[in-house]
Every structure is written in C-alpha cells, then in structure tokens.
Amino acid sequence: MSRTSDVASALTDRRARRVAAEIALLTVMGLFLGAIGPFATGQLSTTTRYVYWVFCIAGGGAIGIAVDETLGVAAGGFWRRLTATSFAMTIPVAVLVSLIGYVLTGSDFRPFDVVGFLFQVWVICVPVMALRALTWRPALTRVETRVVVAPPLPEAEATFRRRLSAKRRAARLIAVEAEDHYLRVHTDAGDELLTARFAEALAELSGAHGYQTHRSWWVAADAIEKVSWRRGSGEARLAGGLVAPVSRSHAPGLRQAGWI
C-alpha cells in the first residue's frame, strides 16, 4: 500500500509541475505579445494590453491543450498534430478573444464579428502551440552501436603468421602495411618487413577479424581504438599509437561495424 501511495504521490507531483510549467509558458507568451502589441492592440493602455494578451494566450492555450491532448494525439506526427490542433481550436479561441475584448474594453459583442478574428487567432495559435510542442518534445535519444568481435581463431591467421620470425609469430597482430614490393607487419612485439604481395596477405587473412581500410592497409579488428572520419576520408587509431588511413572505398566495412 505504501508503494502504491508513493507512486500516486509522485504522479500527482509530476502533473502539478507540468501544469505550473504550462501556465508559466503561456504567461510568458502573453507578456511578450503584450509588449509588442500586435493587431492594433498597441492602442490600448499598457495595463489593459498586457492583461488582454495574458488572458487571451492563457485561456486560448487551455483550449488548445485540451484539443491537442484529444484530437491532436489522434492525428499523430508533429506537423499533422500541430495542423489539426491549430485549426480545431481557432473558432472557440476566437469566441474567447471576442469575449475578453468585450469585458476589458467595453466594446460591443457581436457574434458575427468572431469571423473577422479567425485568421488573426489562427496566426497566433500556430506559433503558440508549436512552441509548446517543441518545449515538451522528448529529446532524441542517440544510441551508438558497435559490433563487438571475438578474438580471431588461431587457425585464421596461422598461414600468414608462418611468414613471421619466431619472435613475432605469437605476438598480437595489429596491422599489415604495403610498402612497394614489401609488407610491413605491425605487432605488439615490433615491426617486421616481409617480401610478399599485399594481395597474398589479404588472401591469407581473409578468415581473420580485420578490415582493409586502404589500398595498402589491413588492420586487426581488436586493435582499433578509434576511427575519425571527415570530408570523405579518415584514419583509424590503433593499439600502440599506430594510425592507419581510411579511404572512402574501404570505409563501408568500418561503417557497418559502427566505427563511423
């Protein structure tokens, strides 16, 4: 029972804060319009003008919120919801505006005159409801995903590793770089220069977890620490401080894995 009571209390507090925020937002809008005095309201006295706009925006906003939380929700989507709400609230808000003007200024209230207010009211309703919708619009949640790869199986690199000296054959493979007719193999035990073609290295490492990032670079997946991409090219920062270039033609593999 205590837990249920706590949940109900929290919901009540949340609703109260939301209502208070709605009132504050509409009041600020009303004060702003009172300051600029659109639609010839600048001819009114300062006090009357501010009271007029605060009441119009607060009352019209209340009507708009009621419409938005019913008809607007059913419309779905930001623009569809805004369009449906602003059009549906225009007539009742125009009636309210006419009544407020009648009370504050003592002018004659003629129902037919409401028609003359429709466009002016709609012009105000759209930005007011749009600002309200943007204020309460949930923030976009950005979820970053990245493919996590398992360490390569020993046999996946076995053929290529047999090319290395005994000192580096069991070392962690970081990258393979083509240098003319040679290969520079980067490991955590240092570099080693091999006489071999880059195409042969790619074929022997085809079963290993890694990416060709450039026409002359292959990097091990578990050696990548960060990938930077800008204006059609990039670079991959690897273990040990090594940096490998990333070309446009070889970027899709890294992009699919979530690095770009």
PDB file of all heavy atoms in Angstrom, residues 169-199:
ATOM      1  N   ARG A 169      55.939 -14.300 -34.226  1.00  0.00           N
ATOM      2  CA  ARG A 169      54.914 -15.224 -34.717  1.00  0.00           C
ATOM      3  C   ARG A 169      53.746 -15.362 -33.737  1.00  0.00           C
ATOM      4  O   ARG A 169      52.606 -15.558 -34.144  1.00  0.00           O
ATOM      5  CB  ARG A 169      55.549 -16.591 -34.977  1.00  0.00           C
ATOM      6  CG  ARG A 169      54.683 -17.539 -35.777  1.00  0.00           C
ATOM      7  CD  ARG A 169      55.500 -18.711 -36.260  1.00  0.00           C
ATOM      8  NE  ARG A 169      56.550 -18.270 -37.175  1.00  0.00           N
ATOM      9  CZ  ARG A 169      57.583 -19.009 -37.562  1.00  0.00           C
ATOM     10  NH1 ARG A 169      57.743 -20.235 -37.045  1.00  0.00           N
ATOM     11  NH2 ARG A 169      58.476 -18.548 -38.415  1.00  0.00           N
ATOM     12  N   ALA A 170      54.028 -15.247 -32.466  1.00  0.00           N
ATOM     13  CA  ALA A 170      52.974 -15.382 -31.459  1.00  0.00           C
ATOM     14  C   ALA A 170      52.524 -14.033 -30.906  1.00  0.00           C
ATOM     15  O   ALA A 170      51.701 -13.981 -29.992  1.00  0.00           O
ATOM     16  CB  ALA A 170      53.459 -16.267 -30.319  1.00  0.00           C
ATOM     17  N   ALA A 171      53.051 -12.940 -31.448  1.00  0.00           N
ATOM     18  CA  ALA A 171      52.704 -11.609 -30.956  1.00  0.00           C
ATOM     19  C   ALA A 171      51.317 -11.199 -31.430  1.00  0.00           C
ATOM     20  O   ALA A 171      50.726 -11.800 -32.331  1.00  0.00           O
ATOM     21  CB  ALA A 171      53.747 -10.594 -31.432  1.00  0.00           C
ATOM     22  N   ARG A 172      50.803 -10.168 -30.824  1.00  0.00           N
ATOM     23  CA  ARG A 172      49.493  -9.632 -31.223  1.00  0.00           C
ATOM     24  C   ARG A 172      49.629  -8.916 -32.558  1.00  0.00           C
ATOM     25  O   ARG A 172      50.436  -8.000 -32.703  1.00  0.00           O
ATOM     26  CB  ARG A 172      48.979  -8.664 -30.167  1.00  0.00           C
ATOM     27  CG  ARG A 172      47.625  -8.041 -30.497  1.00  0.00           C
ATOM     28  CD  ARG A 172      47.303  -6.944 -29.521  1.00  0.00           C
ATOM     29  NE  ARG A 172      45.995  -6.350 -29.777  1.00  0.00           N
ATOM     30  CZ  ARG A 172      45.532  -5.263 -29.159  1.00  0.00           C
ATOM     31  NH1 ARG A 172      46.289  -4.667 -28.239  1.00  0.00           N
ATOM     32  NH2 ARG A 172      44.338  -4.785 -29.455  1.00  0.00           N
ATOM     33  N   LEU A 173      48.839  -9.330 -33.525  1.00  0.00           N
ATOM     34  CA  LEU A 173      48.873  -8.709 -34.841  1.00  0.00           C
ATOM     35  C   LEU A 173      48.027  -7.429 -34.821  1.00  0.00           C
ATOM     36  O   LEU A 173      46.860  -7.448 -34.428  1.00  0.00           O
ATOM     37  CB  LEU A 173      48.328  -9.679 -35.889  1.00  0.00           C
ATOM     38  CG  LEU A 173      48.379  -9.226 -37.350  1.00  0.00           C
ATOM     39  CD1 LEU A 173      49.826  -8.976 -37.778  1.00  0.00           C
ATOM     40  CD2 LEU A 173      47.743 -10.273 -38.249  1.00  0.00           C
ATOM     41  N   ILE A 174      48.635  -6.326 -35.237  1.00  0.00           N
ATOM     42  CA  ILE A 174      47.947  -5.031 -35.214  1.00  0.00           C
ATOM     43  C   ILE A 174      47.535  -4.596 -36.616  1.00  0.00           C
ATOM     44  O   ILE A 174      46.386  -4.241 -36.866  1.00  0.00           O
ATOM     45  CB  ILE A 174      48.828  -3.956 -34.556  1.00  0.00           C
ATOM     46  CG1 ILE A 174      49.079  -4.318 -33.084  1.00  0.00           C
ATOM     47  CG2 ILE A 174      48.174  -2.567 -34.666  1.00  0.00           C
ATOM     48  CD1 ILE A 174      50.036  -3.375 -32.372  1.00  0.00           C
ATOM     49  N   ALA A 175      48.476  -4.614 -37.554  1.00  0.00           N
ATOM     50  CA  ALA A 175      48.164  -4.159 -38.912  1.00  0.00           C
ATOM     51  C   ALA A 175      49.205  -4.676 -39.886  1.00  0.00           C
ATOM     52  O   ALA A 175      50.306  -5.074 -39.496  1.00  0.00           O
ATOM     53  CB  ALA A 175      48.103  -2.632 -38.963  1.00  0.00           C
ATOM     54  N   VAL A 176      48.816  -4.639 -41.157  1.00  0.00           N
ATOM     55  CA  VAL A 176      49.727  -5.000 -42.247  1.00  0.00           C
ATOM     56  C   VAL A 176      49.709  -3.838 -43.231  1.00  0.00           C
ATOM     57  O   VAL A 176      48.639  -3.424 -43.703  1.00  0.00           O
ATOM     58  CB  VAL A 176      49.294  -6.293 -42.949  1.00  0.00           C
ATOM     59  CG1 VAL A 176      50.243  -6.608 -44.098  1.00  0.00           C
ATOM     60  CG2 VAL A 176      49.243  -7.458 -41.961  1.00  0.00           C
ATOM     61  N   GLU A 177      50.899  -3.332 -43.560  1.00  0.00           N
ATOM     62  CA  GLU A 177      51.028  -2.174 -44.430  1.00  0.00           C
ATOM     63  C   GLU A 177      51.868  -2.535 -45.646  1.00  0.00           C
ATOM     64  O   GLU A 177      52.947  -3.120 -45.524  1.00  0.00           O
ATOM     65  CB  GLU A 177      51.684  -1.035 -43.650  1.00  0.00           C
ATOM     66  CG  GLU A 177      51.944   0.212 -44.457  1.00  0.00           C
ATOM     67  CD  GLU A 177      52.730   1.244 -43.659  1.00  0.00           C
ATOM     68  OE1 GLU A 177      53.126   0.944 -42.512  1.00  0.00           O
ATOM     69  OE2 GLU A 177      52.960   2.344 -44.206  1.00  0.00           O
ATOM     70  N   ALA A 178      51.375  -2.196 -46.834  1.00  0.00           N
ATOM     71  CA  ALA A 178      52.115  -2.468 -48.065  1.00  0.00           C
ATOM     72  C   ALA A 178      53.116  -1.347 -48.328  1.00  0.00           C
ATOM     73  O   ALA A 178      52.766  -0.165 -48.268  1.00  0.00           O
ATOM     74  CB  ALA A 178      51.151  -2.592 -49.236  1.00  0.00           C
ATOM     75  N   GLU A 179      54.364  -1.715 -48.612  1.00  0.00           N
ATOM     76  CA  GLU A 179      55.416  -0.760 -48.958  1.00  0.00           C
ATOM     77  C   GLU A 179      56.122  -1.271 -50.206  1.00  0.00           C
ATOM     78  O   GLU A 179      56.987  -2.133 -50.120  1.00  0.00           O
ATOM     79  CB  GLU A 179      56.412  -0.591 -47.807  1.00  0.00           C
ATOM     80  CG  GLU A 179      55.837   0.077 -46.571  1.00  0.00           C
ATOM     81  CD  GLU A 179      56.903   0.318 -45.501  1.00  0.00           C
ATOM     82  OE1 GLU A 179      58.075  -0.062 -45.747  1.00  0.00           O
ATOM     83  OE2 GLU A 179      56.576   0.864 -44.442  1.00  0.00           O
ATOM     84  N   ASP A 180      55.710  -0.746 -51.353  1.00  0.00           N
ATOM     85  CA  ASP A 180      56.241  -1.201 -52.640  1.00  0.00           C
ATOM     86  C   ASP A 180      56.049  -2.708 -52.777  1.00  0.00           C
ATOM     87  O   ASP A 180      54.936  -3.185 -52.766  1.00  0.00           O
ATOM     88  CB  ASP A 180      57.714  -0.806 -52.780  1.00  0.00           C
ATOM     89  CG  ASP A 180      57.891   0.709 -52.820  1.00  0.00           C
ATOM     90  OD1 ASP A 180      56.988   1.377 -53.350  1.00  0.00           O
ATOM     91  OD2 ASP A 180      58.916   1.208 -52.316  1.00  0.00           O
ATOM     92  N   HIS A 181      57.130  -3.464 -52.857  1.00  0.00           N
ATOM     93  CA  HIS A 181      57.026  -4.918 -53.006  1.00  0.00           C
ATOM     94  C   HIS A 181      57.189  -5.634 -51.665  1.00  0.00           C
ATOM     95  O   HIS A 181      57.424  -6.846 -51.632  1.00  0.00           O
ATOM     96  CB  HIS A 181      58.082  -5.426 -53.998  1.00  0.00           C
ATOM     97  CG  HIS A 181      57.958  -4.813 -55.360  1.00  0.00           C
ATOM     98  ND1 HIS A 181      56.876  -5.044 -56.169  1.00  0.00           N
ATOM     99  CD2 HIS A 181      58.762  -3.953 -56.026  1.00  0.00           C
ATOM    100  CE1 HIS A 181      57.022  -4.364 -57.307  1.00  0.00           C
ATOM    101  NE2 HIS A 181      58.173  -3.687 -57.241  1.00  0.00           N
ATOM    102  N   TYR A 182      57.058  -4.883 -50.589  1.00  0.00           N
ATOM    103  CA  TYR A 182      57.251  -5.465 -49.268  1.00  0.00           C
ATOM    104  C   TYR A 182      55.979  -5.270 -48.427  1.00  0.00           C
ATOM    105  O   TYR A 182      55.091  -4.492 -48.753  1.00  0.00           O
ATOM    106  CB  TYR A 182      58.446  -4.810 -48.552  1.00  0.00           C
ATOM    107  CG  TYR A 182      59.748  -4.980 -49.269  1.00  0.00           C
ATOM    108  CD1 TYR A 182      60.198  -4.007 -50.169  1.00  0.00           C
ATOM    109  CD2 TYR A 182      60.540  -6.113 -49.055  1.00  0.00           C
ATOM    110  CE1 TYR A 182      61.404  -4.160 -50.833  1.00  0.00           C
ATOM    111  CE2 TYR A 182      61.753  -6.276 -49.709  1.00  0.00           C
ATOM    112  CZ  TYR A 182      62.177  -5.297 -50.605  1.00  0.00           C
ATOM    113  OH  TYR A 182      63.358  -5.464 -51.264  1.00  0.00           O
ATOM    114  N   LEU A 183      55.952  -5.976 -47.332  1.00  0.00           N
ATOM    115  CA  LEU A 183      54.887  -5.812 -46.344  1.00  0.00           C
ATOM    116  C   LEU A 183      55.522  -5.449 -45.011  1.00  0.00           C
ATOM    117  O   LEU A 183      56.465  -6.128 -44.568  1.00  0.00           O
ATOM    118  CB  LEU A 183      54.076  -7.102 -46.178  1.00  0.00           C
ATOM    119  CG  LEU A 183      53.257  -7.598 -47.351  1.00  0.00           C
ATOM    120  CD1 LEU A 183      52.569  -8.914 -46.980  1.00  0.00           C
ATOM    121  CD2 LEU A 183      52.230  -6.570 -47.783  1.00  0.00           C
ATOM    122  N   ARG A 184      55.000  -4.412 -44.387  1.00  0.00           N
ATOM    123  CA  ARG A 184      55.437  -4.082 -43.032  1.00  0.00           C
ATOM    124  C   ARG A 184      54.345  -4.575 -42.088  1.00  0.00           C
ATOM    125  O   ARG A 184      53.218  -4.086 -42.107  1.00  0.00           O
ATOM    126  CB  ARG A 184      55.674  -2.593 -42.853  1.00  0.00           C
ATOM    127  CG  ARG A 184      56.188  -2.234 -41.442  1.00  0.00           C
ATOM    128  CD  ARG A 184      56.598  -0.780 -41.360  1.00  0.00           C
ATOM    129  NE  ARG A 184      57.684  -0.468 -42.267  1.00  0.00           N
ATOM    130  CZ  ARG A 184      58.986  -0.712 -42.012  1.00  0.00           C
ATOM    131  NH1 ARG A 184      59.334  -1.289 -40.856  1.00  0.00           N
ATOM    132  NH2 ARG A 184      59.908  -0.398 -42.887  1.00  0.00           N
ATOM    133  N   VAL A 185      54.696  -5.547 -41.280  1.00  0.00           N
ATOM    134  CA  VAL A 185      53.740  -6.147 -40.359  1.00  0.00           C
ATOM    135  C   VAL A 185      53.941  -5.515 -38.982  1.00  0.00           C
ATOM    136  O   VAL A 185      55.030  -5.571 -38.405  1.00  0.00           O
ATOM    137  CB  VAL A 185      53.931  -7.672 -40.274  1.00  0.00           C
ATOM    138  CG1 VAL A 185      52.879  -8.285 -39.344  1.00  0.00           C
ATOM    139  CG2 VAL A 185      53.845  -8.296 -41.659  1.00  0.00           C
ATOM    140  N   HIS A 186      52.869  -4.896 -38.467  1.00  0.00           N
ATOM    141  CA  HIS A 186      52.919  -4.235 -37.166  1.00  0.00           C
ATOM    142  C   HIS A 186      52.365  -5.182 -36.105  1.00  0.00           C
ATOM    143  O   HIS A 186      51.231  -5.653 -36.216  1.00  0.00           O
ATOM    144  CB  HIS A 186      52.091  -2.957 -37.200  1.00  0.00           C
ATOM    145  CG  HIS A 186      52.547  -1.958 -38.227  1.00  0.00           C
ATOM    146  ND1 HIS A 186      53.512  -1.020 -37.965  1.00  0.00           N
ATOM    147  CD2 HIS A 186      52.148  -1.762 -39.522  1.00  0.00           C
ATOM    148  CE1 HIS A 186      53.696  -0.276 -39.057  1.00  0.00           C
ATOM    149  NE2 HIS A 186      52.875  -0.705 -40.014  1.00  0.00           N
ATOM    150  N   THR A 187      53.148  -5.440 -35.082  1.00  0.00           N
ATOM    151  CA  THR A 187      52.720  -6.284 -33.974  1.00  0.00           C
ATOM    152  C   THR A 187      53.069  -5.575 -32.666  1.00  0.00           C
ATOM    153  O   THR A 187      53.763  -4.560 -32.663  1.00  0.00           O
ATOM    154  CB  THR A 187      53.409  -7.658 -34.001  1.00  0.00           C
ATOM    155  OG1 THR A 187      54.787  -7.508 -33.628  1.00  0.00           O
ATOM    156  CG2 THR A 187      53.325  -8.286 -35.393  1.00  0.00           C
ATOM    157  N   ASP A 188      52.581  -6.130 -31.553  1.00  0.00           N
ATOM    158  CA  ASP A 188      52.938  -5.518 -30.268  1.00  0.00           C
ATOM    159  C   ASP A 188      54.354  -5.888 -29.838  1.00  0.00           C
ATOM    160  O   ASP A 188      54.821  -5.450 -28.780  1.00  0.00           O
ATOM    161  CB  ASP A 188      51.924  -5.904 -29.190  1.00  0.00           C
ATOM    162  CG  ASP A 188      51.868  -7.391 -28.936  1.00  0.00           C
ATOM    163  OD1 ASP A 188      52.576  -8.158 -29.634  1.00  0.00           O
ATOM    164  OD2 ASP A 188      51.106  -7.816 -28.041  1.00  0.00           O
ATOM    165  N   ALA A 189      55.034  -6.682 -30.679  1.00  0.00           N
ATOM    166  CA  ALA A 189      56.441  -7.002 -30.424  1.00  0.00           C
ATOM    167  C   ALA A 189      57.336  -6.286 -31.427  1.00  0.00           C
ATOM    168  O   ALA A 189      58.504  -6.645 -31.595  1.00  0.00           O
ATOM    169  CB  ALA A 189      56.658  -8.516 -30.513  1.00  0.00           C
ATOM    170  N   GLY A 190      56.790  -5.269 -32.110  1.00  0.00           N
ATOM    171  CA  GLY A 190      57.577  -4.512 -33.080  1.00  0.00           C
ATOM    172  C   GLY A 190      57.155  -4.797 -34.512  1.00  0.00           C
ATOM    173  O   GLY A 190      56.271  -5.621 -34.776  1.00  0.00           O
ATOM    174  N   ASP A 191      57.796  -4.088 -35.447  1.00  0.00           N
ATOM    175  CA  ASP A 191      57.502  -4.255 -36.866  1.00  0.00           C
ATOM    176  C   ASP A 191      58.430  -5.278 -37.497  1.00  0.00           C
ATOM    177  O   ASP A 191      59.540  -5.523 -37.012  1.00  0.00           O
ATOM    178  CB  ASP A 191      57.660  -2.924 -37.610  1.00  0.00           C
ATOM    179  CG  ASP A 191      56.726  -1.850 -37.083  1.00  0.00           C
ATOM    180  OD1 ASP A 191      55.833  -2.207 -36.281  1.00  0.00           O
ATOM    181  OD2 ASP A 191      56.897  -0.681 -37.463  1.00  0.00           O
ATOM    182  N   GLU A 192      57.958  -5.817 -38.605  1.00  0.00           N
ATOM    183  CA  GLU A 192      58.787  -6.758 -39.362  1.00  0.00           C
ATOM    184  C   GLU A 192      58.491  -6.565 -40.838  1.00  0.00           C
ATOM    185  O   GLU A 192      57.329  -6.426 -41.249  1.00  0.00           O
ATOM    186  CB  GLU A 192      58.508  -8.194 -38.952  1.00  0.00           C
ATOM    187  CG  GLU A 192      59.438  -9.193 -39.624  1.00  0.00           C
ATOM    188  CD  GLU A 192      59.387 -10.571 -38.978  1.00  0.00           C
ATOM    189  OE1 GLU A 192      59.157 -10.641 -37.746  1.00  0.00           O
ATOM    190  OE2 GLU A 192      59.570 -11.569 -39.697  1.00  0.00           O
ATOM    191  N   LEU A 193      59.536  -6.538 -41.653  1.00  0.00           N
ATOM    192  CA  LEU A 193      59.400  -6.340 -43.087  1.00  0.00           C
ATOM    193  C   LEU A 193      59.466  -7.685 -43.790  1.00  0.00           C
ATOM    194  O   LEU A 193      60.406  -8.460 -43.593  1.00  0.00           O
ATOM    195  CB  LEU A 193      60.520  -5.414 -43.584  1.00  0.00           C
ATOM    196  CG  LEU A 193      60.270  -4.661 -44.885  1.00  0.00           C
ATOM    197  CD1 LEU A 193      59.056  -3.738 -44.759  1.00  0.00           C
ATOM    198  CD2 LEU A 193      61.510  -3.859 -45.274  1.00  0.00           C
ATOM    199  N   LEU A 194      58.457  -7.964 -44.620  1.00  0.00           N
ATOM    200  CA  LEU A 194      58.376  -9.235 -45.335  1.00  0.00           C
ATOM    201  C   LEU A 194      58.415  -8.982 -46.843  1.00  0.00           C
ATOM    202  O   LEU A 194      57.945  -7.951 -47.327  1.00  0.00           O
ATOM    203  CB  LEU A 194      57.078  -9.973 -45.008  1.00  0.00           C
ATOM    204  CG  LEU A 194      56.805 -10.318 -43.542  1.00  0.00           C
ATOM    205  CD1 LEU A 194      55.442 -11.000 -43.435  1.00  0.00           C
ATOM    206  CD2 LEU A 194      57.902 -11.215 -42.983  1.00  0.00           C
ATOM    207  N   THR A 195      58.945  -9.925 -47.569  1.00  0.00           N
ATOM    208  CA  THR A 195      58.891  -9.876 -49.026  1.00  0.00           C
ATOM    209  C   THR A 195      57.656 -10.645 -49.468  1.00  0.00           C
ATOM    210  O   THR A 195      57.645 -11.883 -49.506  1.00  0.00           O
ATOM    211  CB  THR A 195      60.154 -10.497 -49.652  1.00  0.00           C
ATOM    212  OG1 THR A 195      61.314  -9.831 -49.137  1.00  0.00           O
ATOM    213  CG2 THR A 195      60.121 -10.368 -51.169  1.00  0.00           C
ATOM    214  N   ALA A 196      56.609  -9.925 -49.780  1.00  0.00           N
ATOM    215  CA  ALA A 196      55.348 -10.556 -50.181  1.00  0.00           C
ATOM    216  C   ALA A 196      54.441  -9.489 -50.768  1.00  0.00           C
ATOM    217  O   ALA A 196      54.642  -8.286 -50.561  1.00  0.00           O
ATOM    218  CB  ALA A 196      54.672 -11.228 -48.990  1.00  0.00           C
ATOM    219  N   ARG A 197      53.448  -9.944 -51.511  1.00  0.00           N
ATOM    220  CA  ARG A 197      52.480  -9.020 -52.093  1.00  0.00           C
ATOM    221  C   ARG A 197      51.322  -8.793 -51.124  1.00  0.00           C
ATOM    222  O   ARG A 197      50.955  -9.685 -50.358  1.00  0.00           O
ATOM    223  CB  ARG A 197      51.959  -9.559 -53.421  1.00  0.00           C
ATOM    224  CG  ARG A 197      53.024  -9.628 -54.519  1.00  0.00           C
ATOM    225  CD  ARG A 197      52.395 -10.073 -55.826  1.00  0.00           C
ATOM    226  NE  ARG A 197      51.731 -11.366 -55.681  1.00  0.00           N
ATOM    227  CZ  ARG A 197      50.926 -11.896 -56.589  1.00  0.00           C
ATOM    228  NH1 ARG A 197      50.655 -11.215 -57.699  1.00  0.00           N
ATOM    229  NH2 ARG A 197      50.368 -13.068 -56.393  1.00  0.00           N
ATOM    230  N   PHE A 198      50.761  -7.607 -51.181  1.00  0.00           N
ATOM    231  CA  PHE A 198      49.659  -7.271 -50.282  1.00  0.00           C
ATOM    232  C   PHE A 198      48.442  -8.162 -50.556  1.00  0.00           C
ATOM    233  O   PHE A 198      47.734  -8.555 -49.632  1.00  0.00           O
ATOM    234  CB  PHE A 198      49.284  -5.793 -50.466  1.00  0.00           C
ATOM    235  CG  PHE A 198      48.303  -5.275 -49.451  1.00  0.00           C
ATOM    236  CD1 PHE A 198      48.536  -5.380 -48.091  1.00  0.00           C
ATOM    237  CD2 PHE A 198      47.121  -4.676 -49.865  1.00  0.00           C
ATOM    238  CE1 PHE A 198      47.632  -4.904 -47.160  1.00  0.00           C
ATOM    239  CE2 PHE A 198      46.202  -4.190 -48.943  1.00  0.00           C
ATOM    240  CZ  PHE A 198      46.460  -4.305 -47.583  1.00  0.00           C
ATOM    241  N   ALA A 199      48.226  -8.484 -51.823  1.00  0.00           N
ATOM    242  CA  ALA A 199      47.089  -9.342 -52.183  1.00  0.00           C
ATOM    243  C   ALA A 199      47.223 -10.713 -51.529  1.00  0.00           C
ATOM    244  O   ALA A 199      46.219 -11.321 -51.123  1.00  0.00           O
ATOM    245  CB  ALA A 199      46.994  -9.490 -53.693  1.00  0.00           C
TER     246      ALA A 199
END
